[in-house]
Amino acid sequence: MSESIKTDEKSTAIASYVLQAGPSSSSSTNQEQQPQPQSQPLSKNALKKLAKNKGKEKKKEKPQWGDGSNKKKKKKETANNNNNNNNNNSSKTKPESYTFVNKTPKGEKKDILSQPMAEAYYPSAVEAAWQDWWEHKGFYTCDPKDAMGKNPDEDKFVMVIPPPNVTGSLHLGHALTAAVEDTLTRWHRMCGHATLYVPGTDHAGIATQSVVEKMLMKESGQTRHDLGREKFVEKIWEWKDEYGGKITNQLRCLGSSVDWSRERFTMDKMCNKAVIEAFNQLHEKGLLYRDMRLGNWSCALKSAISDIEVDYLELEGRTFLEVKSHKGNPRDKNGKYEFGVLTSFAYPIENSEEKLVVATTRLETMLGDTGVAIHPDDDRYKHLHGKCVIHPFNGRRIPIITDSELVDMSFGTGAVKITPAHDPNDYECGKRHNLEFITVLTPDGAINQNGSQFEGMMRYDARIAVEDALKEKGLYVGKEPNKMRLGICSRSGDILEPMITPQWYVNCDSMAKRAVDAVRNGELKILPQEHEKTWYYWLENIRDWCVSRQLWWGHQIPAWFVTKKGEANMDKNDMSNNHRWVVARSEEDAIVRAKEILQCSENDIILERDEDVLDTWFSSGLFPFSVMGWPDNTDDMKAFYPTSLLETGLDILFFWVARMVMMGLQLTDQLPFHTVYLHAMVRDKDGRKMSKSLGNVIDPLEVINGCTLESLLQKLEAGNLPAKEVEKCKKDQTADFPDGIPECGSDALRFGLLAYTVQGRDVNLDIKRVVGYRNFCNKLWNATRFALEYVSDFKPTTTLLDDLMKSGKMALRDKFIVSRLMAAIEAVNENFKSYRFGDAQQASYTFWMDELCNLYLELIKPVMYDKSEANGDARWAAQATLWLCLETGLRLLHPMIPFVTEELWQRLPGRGTLGNDEKESIMISNYPQCNETYKNVAAEQGMEVIKKIINSCRSLRASYQITNKTLTKFYIKTASDAEVIRAQIDDIKTLGKASDVEINVDEASLPKSVGIDVLDDQTTVLMDIKGLVNFSVEIQKLEKNLRKTMPALENLESKMSAPGYEEKVDEQLKKANAEKMEGLQKKVADIKAAIANFEQLALSESN
């Protein structure tokens, strides 16, 4: 008999492999798998197929969603479907149509109990009304009295939102920020901490002015100069009022539990007061000053810009580019201009026939040359020390200087032209040698009066003209391809120019040192810690911060140039007149200070306010304390500052986070927060940065509410993109979303985004994966709806958990799920504490899907349906356990998916009967905490044994293609777990589809025809298959498969045995053929063994 069993075991496995009828391994499961946030690496075969298909037209990818309108309507499935049927596939079946109308008056609680629970999950219906009710009830606010004196690390949580730019609408990067921040906020609030989450928007000086200028030109053909400053600024305020509301609506739809009563805009009165005070304090302490320096200049914006507004374009060599501010190169058929070349020309040496050859990538800047540098040790030019060259167009004498710091003797001719006013390196050289600084460009990028005959030409037209003029004079030498990097204005797309202009600067040295020290000594934590290196690098190499911008939109600089009546020709841009600049908190204050400087009466004073505005980052840097009322010592300032956490994207660590820390330490003498958590950059599924110019920016509302392809394309047309870019973006959108984007809901979007969060890694977000989390919400809805039937007659109590655990009525399955609930609670709390949101999401998902829905709910069905008196205790224990898992599990999920959890929590039986301490909303209820005493290792280990046996039963049934309606008898042989198995035979029968289960029976009692699965060296599962399998039919199938397989094997054997095969075929192909041969031989052997097995089984059964 033992030999027969061994043969059966081997052949059963073979039959399963050949027929591919189902999982053949005991470890396989039918549990629903969580959508994976990151794509898996391609297999070798996939890579080979990819290589073979290279260059071929790619097949159109079948959309992974739809309403099923083109398919036959599936049979209605309910949550009590068998687990083998893909675990409630009804969760993925959407009714043909559904229209929801929100009838709840704004601010009132949704009356969900007056109507039966919907049979499927509809995000729009579930998420309606809750946000308005939460706000109306004041759940988002925090009284300063409740926070005063509390420890910010333990009993208080305060965070300001990274204010999004008021330039239209939020994108999915902002949605990730909102998901992370609101998850933390809700968690802290439920943990009983004094919690405040402050919203706001940023006026975004350059971005907003640029957008409104484009809109103005598109709508009316006007420039801002046509309107004038006052009316143009009014236009921006109108635009802000329209689109600022859109942003707040998006945040509400995302479920952000911010305190809207404290909403701030970085140009409102409170923030403006803080900006004026900060500017004055920095000036009074000698840290803020006015100077003439070289910086980035956008000719399109006619403004200096900060480094964050600079993108870089790497050129490998000669490249032609479109320049939007120019009419077009008449010598190029596409009107593009030449870049990426090094042009050489000669300067005549004064009083000599000799010439000195220099080279440049920006030929037009030679109009501003005021020096030619050579190396002091270069023997070729020692005879030129102290001499001059003559400028060919204006006759200017240009000194030849020696500079070992700038000049590399081995590069080019060893002579370098110096344009101090238009190049950073030349600027430093010019200062070292006291050279003249000659600016040759106007603010809009044309050649100015210093450009001789080229005056009035746009700079790249002048480049062409200068080259022609040099050729005419015989001074042109030639040009060659040259790698270079172009600075591009991220707002206008214009190529940036280094320009010397008068600007206001902040000396950051002392502030930067304090910010560095704060991280080094542990006062400020930066997470992930790997970004500390970036922090140190930037701040230890910091330069003075240019804070002025030549814009009309922003905080106008609180500085006035003062003169007396009758004074003439006082140049405010002359640095020798800097003492005439008065920094003050108001015009009245400026007059007082002017009287002291000029020693004259008020009537004789003329004040001219600086027209420039402050860098947007200046006001943003004050945000953590300006929103609390600083510089006034308000209750909010005393209660909520410093804040707890700053959560933002890692791309603005230096540009915003560092400035907040520096200005917080300088102006309040405190760190503005104790922890910085940096989430990854959100990119599209192809790894590209989210950019309007790429057309891959998705509005979160388009995912939450769903949208058609047509609406996506219409949005592109309504934007400010050029026509060519619009067409390209349309193609990309059509390819990515051929059927539009389905309605996913805010909860699914939040849950999906959190799944992507892995510290330090960029998020390549595929919208299609978010749809998978809508299915999770659907599963949550259906499982709860189904479970509510089990507990409809159950009355919970305030001490239910303790009562249950002490009752002595719990089955192993009950103890198991409570233990797993405690483990999930512990994991989620620990992961929230350490900002591992993806792990917290996974832990909660696993508990709900794998352990509660797919296992426990299925196990308790027989118990719930048996309402006999004898089963009373077991049924009560199961009901109590289920109610606790539902109620606690919903609270566990709430910070991540707030809407559906509130809706389901409100539907649980017992609401309103649990005493005076019962909360009216899940969002203000207590967050679950792990009770270690309720963990049960033995129950979990026992359930693992049962799960393996159940999986084995399912595997055996699948191997023989036994239908669900046919029950089978199982025999279990175990050396160590007999008591555990015996105690849960009913559970094995429920999920294993068993008619009966016997344990450790005598060998003689085992049937002759069995399928067998060896779990491990301790346990074996056998299934009686007598009368269940038509062996002759199975043999015919196998023989047919064998006939198909043999020709492939014989053909390959023929090829590999052909003369010259070993010598002529390359090693890679031989290796591939050998692997293929091995696979075919194994397949043939397995088929033959399976045929022999079935023949033996047929013979045994006939006897």
Side-chain angles (χ1 to χ4, degrees), residues 186-187 278 310 365 375 388 409 559 610 725 887 965 980 1102:
R186 289 177 180 272
W187 175 63
V310 181
T365 63
H375 197 282
C388 294
M409 289 187 290
D610 195 330
E725 292 181 15
E887 197 275 341
K965 65 181 180 181
V980 171
S1102 65

Side-chain angles (χ1 to χ4, degrees), residues 651-669:
D651 55 322
I652 53 174
L653 173 62
F654 174 71
F655 299 106
W656 184 44
V657 181
R659 285 180 166 89
M660 282 189 288
V661 172
M662 288 193 297
M663 297 181 84
L665 287 169
Q666 178 63 42
L667 297 170
T668 71
D669 202 32

Side-chain angles (χ1 to χ4, degrees), residues 945 949 971-982 998-1001 1003 1014-1022:
V945 172
I949 291 172
Y971 300 87
I972 300 172
K973 299 174 66 176
T974 179
S976 58
D977 298 312
E979 292 307 314
V980 171
I981 298 169
R982 189 169 284 110
E998 294 190 28
I999 303 170
N1000 289 340
V1001 300
E1003 291 283 329
V1014 179
L1015 293 183
D1016 50 42
D1017 59 352
Q1018 298 290 308
T1019 306
T1020 299
V1021 178
L1022 303 93

Side-chain angles (χ1 to χ4, degrees), residues 282 287 506-521 524 526 532 534-545 654 657-666 671:
L282 292 172
L287 297 174
V506 174
N507 184 324
C508 299
D509 291 346
S510 60
M511 292 188 286
K513 184 180 185 307
R514 290 186 70 181
V516 167
D517 292 344
V519 175
R520 287 200 194 281
N521 63 29
L524 177 63
I526 297 178
E532 288 182 3
T534 305
W535 183 264
Y536 297 141
Y537 173 80
W538 278 106
L539 291 175
E540 289 175 346
N541 295 279
I542 199 166
R543 294 188 295 179
D544 288 1
W545 172 19
F654 174 71
V657 181
R659 285 180 166 89
M660 282 189 288
V661 172
M662 288 193 297
M663 297 181 84
L665 287 169
Q666 178 63 42
L671 284 167

Side-chain angles (χ1 to χ4, degrees), residues 717-737:
E717 292 174 352
N720 290 326
L721 287 178
K724 288 183 180 178
E725 292 181 15
V726 168
E727 290 306 311
K728 180 181 180 300
C729 292
K730 280 185 175 182
K731 290 181 180 178
D732 290 341
Q733 293 276 37
T734 302
D736 287 341
F737 309 110

Side-chain angles (χ1 to χ4, degrees), residues 206 295-299 301-306 309 496-497 499 501-503 505 546-551 612 615:
I206 290 177
N296 295 314
W297 184 265
S298 170
C299 297
L301 298 174
K302 300 177 187 174
S303 174
I305 67 169
S306 66
E309 279 101 19
L496 295 171
E497 290 291 337
M499 288 265 278
T501 53
Q503 306 289 347
Y505 291 88
C546 174
V547 295
S548 49
R549 298 289 180 269
Q550 289 63 55
L551 304 172
D612 293 350
D615 179 10

Side-chain angles (χ1 to χ4, degrees), residues 191-415:
C191 286
H193 304 155
T195 303
L196 179 65
Y197 182 20
V198 182
T201 49
D202 194 293
H203 67 278
I206 290 177
T208 304
Q209 179 165 314
S210 177
V211 167
V212 176
E213 280 192 89
K214 288 178 181 179
M215 182 190 70
L216 189 65
M217 177 59 66
K218 189 171 185 177
E219 291 180 354
S220 64
Q222 291 180 300
T223 68
R224 62 183 166 111
H225 298 283
D226 294 332
L227 285 184
R229 181 168 186 156
E230 186 175 342
K231 289 193 175 180
F232 179 73
V233 170
E234 287 177 4
K235 195 80 174 174
I236 298 180
W237 275 108
E238 292 173 7
W239 185 89
K240 178 266 172 188
D241 291 340
E242 178 181 355
Y243 287 99
K246 183 175 182 181
I247 289 173
T248 57
N249 178 55
Q250 288 175 305
L251 288 173
R252 284 182 164 95
C253 289
L254 284 165
S256 293
S257 58
V258 296
D259 185 350
W260 292 107
S261 68
R262 289 180 167 91
E263 182 185 1
R264 299 263 64 88
F265 176 56
T266 55
M267 276 184 62
D268 65 22
K269 289 183 179 179
M270 182 185 287
C271 291
N272 181 252
K273 181 178 181 180
V275 166
I276 291 172
E277 181 64 26
F279 194 93
N280 276 267
Q281 284 195 26
L282 292 172
H283 185 263
E284 289 163 2
K285 300 223 177 132
L287 297 174
L288 190 146
Y289 61 94
R290 184 177 172 84
D291 197 8
M292 184 83 73
R293 290 188 177 184
L294 189 77
N296 295 314
W297 184 265
S298 170
C299 297
L301 298 174
K302 300 177 187 174
S303 174
I305 67 169
S306 66
D307 290 341
I308 189 123
E309 279 101 19
V310 181
D311 294 330
Y312 289 97
L313 179 63
E314 302 289 343
L315 303 182
E316 291 300 313
R318 189 173 186 232
T319 307
F320 284 84
L321 301 173
E322 180 184 6
V323 181
K324 296 177 182 178
S325 60
H326 286 44
K327 292 182 178 179
N329 181 0
R331 300 183 185 180
D332 180 74
K333 63 180 181 180
N334 296 316
K336 296 183 177 182
Y337 291 86
E338 184 182 45
F339 296 89
V341 293
L342 189 66
T343 304
S344 299
F345 68 94
Y347 269 126
I349 295 174
E350 186 180 32
N351 301 323
S352 170
E353 296 297 319
E354 193 176 356
K355 295 183 178 67
L356 190 57
V357 177
V358 295
T360 178
T361 57
R362 298 159 63 223
L363 186 58
E364 69 281 1
T365 63
M366 63 86 64
L367 299 172
D369 284 358
T370 59
V372 175
I374 55 177
H375 197 282
D377 299 331
D378 194 333
D379 292 334
R380 293 173 295 177
Y381 301 128
K382 283 190 174 179
H383 66 291
L384 298 179
H385 290 193
K387 294 189 177 183
C388 294
V389 298
I390 303 299
H391 199 287
F393 301 127
N394 55 34
R396 182 167 62 241
R397 295 177 73 246
I398 298 174
I400 299 172
I401 61 172
T402 57
D403 193 302
S404 58
E405 187 173 336
L406 178 67
V407 180
D408 179 357
M409 289 187 290
S410 64
F411 182 76
T413 63

